[in-house]
Amino acid sequence: QVQLVDSGGGVVQAGGSLRLSCTASGRTFNYNSMAWFRQVPGKEREFVAVLRWNTGSTDYADFVKGRFTISRDNAENTVYLQMNSLKPEDTAVYSCAASLIVLSRSAGDYRYWGQGTQVTVSS
């Protein structure tokens, strides 16, 4: 089992920044990729970014390219999502997830999930 704890959400004005963190514990060898997804009420969960743990390779949704950066701290088993130039439409619950599948954008491929952290961007 892998346990994920994500944090760092909050309320920020448009144009501001936040950094989300997700720390893994337990059988941390049981995943190859860690990703961030987001969801707003009434909509499906949406892929944001993913990182391949052993190589650091990344992939991003088009709507966050150039604004968000996913990174990792191997020693701390932690993945980060640095979010800059935030927009009101970025408001959502952001959740980290871990998967054996490399660089997947599909939520169905992720077995382990954090509890989610709310990000609210005011205009």
Side-chain angles (χ1 to χ4, degrees):
Q1 282 280 31
V2 175
Q3 293 80 42
L4 303 178
V5 177
D6 43 37
S7 62
V11 180
V12 64
Q13 288 190 330
S17 298
L18 283 173
R19 189 176 81 156
L20 307 183
S21 301
C22 175
T23 299
S25 61
R27 293 180 177 268
T28 54
F29 54 84
N30 276 3
Y31 58 86
N32 290 313
S33 298
M34 289 187 75
W36 289 95
F37 290 80
R38 70 186 188 185
Q39 190 170 25
V40 297
K43 292 190 176 182
E44 290 191 358
R45 188 171 279 163
E46 183 175 49
F47 167 76
V48 176
V50 61
L51 178 144
R52 185 176 183 177
W53 196 256
N54 60 347
T55 65
S57 300
T58 58
D59 185 28
Y60 295 92
D62 287 344
F63 56 80
V64 302
K65 283 182 180 176
R67 300 190 299 126
F68 292 9
T69 303
I70 188 170
S71 62
R72 74 192 191 288
D73 182 330
N74 285 26
E76 298 294 328
N77 287 321
T78 297
V79 66
Y80 302 100
L81 185 68
Q82 178 66 45
M83 305 187 294
N84 299 328
S85 302
L86 282 161
K87 306 174 181 179
E89 52 264 42
D90 293 319
T91 295
V93 174
Y94 286 72
S95 300
C96 65
S99 174
L100 283 172
I101 297 174
V102 173
L103 296 177
S104 173
R105 292 186 169 204
S106 175
D109 288 337
Y110 288 80
R111 179 176 181 181
Y112 305 106
W113 290 86
Q115 78 281 9
T117 184
Q118 176 71 46
V119 171
T120 302
V121 184
S122 61
S123 57

